[in-house]
């Protein structure tokens, strides 16, 4: 177990996971953009698909060429700076020195220590600090219940259909307080049409959310020991492996647009840190029926890349 733990926490393994997740996110964004461009969609959807395709191409170039060019340029700049410093030190050493006494040689001056700047890149997302812009994709189910064991995933989480989306936003997390604003666009796949006269749900959807939360260190703690029957538990015991990546719970509120109408949504979720620049978002949202749209239970899992 120690060997597996060391492997999972090694920088090489986390770097490999981050590269794989980045490639997966880029490919999903490209597939969604292609579906919007070539599918039977309106002009607005095709415009969104074109923007997503351009963004995916720019991202691909940055991963393959842009990042390497930036690092090479930085190394070249540091090498030039080091050469200038070494030249200045050499000229200073050759300059004439005033004699301190006629028969006493002055003590040799200690050579200054040249320290090169570190090339380490700051971690954009960790358990104690995860603030900044992010992009990601998500998969949602319009479900009626969470009993996957008894009903199967198609008759529980995805009983009424599902949504694939790409999203982005800004997040603040300092280890105590959590706040985020997020917006996304995607395609909804409904299993069955709603009641007669209602709008079709096989359509492009958009959403906007505000998330507010904070650390619950006194309520949710790693599982260490069991309590006696007469003892009131002080915290909700969760597996230690889960508590190590559990960042923050939050409440969410906002709106979702589909079929040309809008619905208010409210719910809650939790954020988890997967790697140095990656997080996972699990949330539940409820939208009451309005404007010929049925009520919706949205269960979402999202993967986010932080910058």
């Amino acid at each position: 177990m120690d060997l597996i733990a060391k492997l999972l926490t090694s920088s090489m393994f986390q770097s490999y996971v981050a590269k794989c997740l980045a490639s997966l996110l880029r490919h999903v964004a490209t597939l969604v953009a292609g579906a919007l461009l070539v599918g039977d969609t309106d002009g607005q959807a095709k415009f969104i698909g074109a923007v997503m395709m351009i963004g995916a191409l720019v991202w691909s170039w940055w991963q393959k060429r842009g990042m390497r060019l930036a690092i090479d340029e930085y190394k070249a700049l540091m090498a030039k700076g080091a050469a200038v410093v070494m030249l200045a030190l050499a000229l200073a050493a050759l300059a004439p020195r005033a004699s301190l006494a006629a028969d006493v040689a002055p003590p040799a001056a200690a050579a200054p220590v040249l320290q090169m700047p570190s090339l380490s890149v700051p971690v954009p997302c960790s358990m104690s600090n995860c603030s900044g812009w992010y992009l990601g994709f998500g998969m949602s189910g319009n479900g009626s219940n969470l009993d996957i064991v008894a009903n199967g995933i198609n008759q529980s989480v995805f009983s009424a259909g599902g949504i694939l989306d790409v999203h982005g936003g800004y997040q603040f997390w300092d280890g105590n307080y959590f706040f985020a604003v997020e917006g996304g666009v995607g395609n909804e796949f409904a299993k069955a049409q709603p009641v007669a006269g209602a709008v079709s749900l096989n359509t492009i959807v958009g959403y906007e959310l505000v998330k507010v939360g904070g650390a619950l260190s006194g309520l949710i703690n790693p599982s260490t020991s069991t309590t006696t029957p007469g003892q009131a538990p002080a915290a909700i015991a969760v597996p230690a492996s889960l508590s190590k990546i559990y960042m923050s719970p939050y409440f969410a509120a906002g709106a979702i647009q589909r079929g040309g109408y809008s619905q208010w949504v409210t719910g809650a979720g939790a954020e988890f840190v997967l790697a140095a620049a990656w997080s996972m978002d699990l949330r539940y949202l409820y939208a009451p029926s309005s404007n010929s749209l049925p009520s919706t239970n949205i269960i979402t899992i999202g993967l986010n890349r932080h910058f």
Side-chain angles (χ1 to χ4, degrees), residues 37-128:
L37 287 173
V38 303
D40 187 13
T41 55
D42 55 18
Q44 181 181 3
K46 291 186 182 296
F47 174 76
I48 295 173
V51 173
M52 290 173 56
M53 182 64 72
I54 294 174
L57 292 176
V58 173
W59 190 357
S60 176
W61 175 86
W62 171 254
Q63 283 186 309
K64 295 177 181 178
R65 294 282 298 169
M67 188 180 300
R68 175 54 55 188
L69 291 175
I71 294 175
D72 291 343
E73 186 67 21
Y74 178 76
K75 290 181 177 179
L77 181 62
M78 290 301 100
K80 292 179 180 179
V84 172
V85 173
M86 294 301 295
L87 179 60
L89 293 176
L91 294 175
L94 295 176
R97 300 177 182 178
S99 177
L100 298 179
D103 55 352
V104 178
V113 179
L114 180 62
Q115 294 183 349
M116 294 296 294
S118 174
L119 294 178
S120 60
V121 179
V123 177
C125 187
S126 65
M127 291 293 296
S128 59

Side-chain angles (χ1 to χ4, degrees), residues 174-235:
D174 63 353
N176 294 310
Y177 303 102
F178 178 85
F179 174 79
V181 290
E182 179 179 309
V185 62
N187 193 19
E188 181 173 10
F189 308 92
K191 282 190 173 181
Q193 291 297 105
V195 297
V199 299
S200 170
L201 296 186
N202 292 294
T203 182
I204 299 296
V205 299
Y207 72 89
E208 306 83 32
L209 288 178
V210 175
K211 308 176 186 178
V212 179
L216 296 179
S217 57
L219 179 63
I220 299 178
N221 287 330
S223 171
T224 55
S225 60
T226 58
T227 58
T228 60
Q231 178 183 3

Side-chain angles (χ1 to χ4, degrees), residues 287-303:
S289 59
S290 63
N291 297 323
S292 300
L293 294 173
S295 61
T296 307
N297 296 279
I298 306 174
I299 303 152
T300 302
I301 178 171
L303 185 63

Side-chain angles (χ1 to χ4, degrees), residues 120-145:
S120 60
V121 179
V123 177
C125 187
S126 65
M127 291 293 296
S128 59
N129 191 341
C130 189
S131 300
W133 298 98
Y134 64 89
L135 293 173
F137 70 93
M139 180 174 63
S140 304
N142 183 359
S144 58
N145 63 85

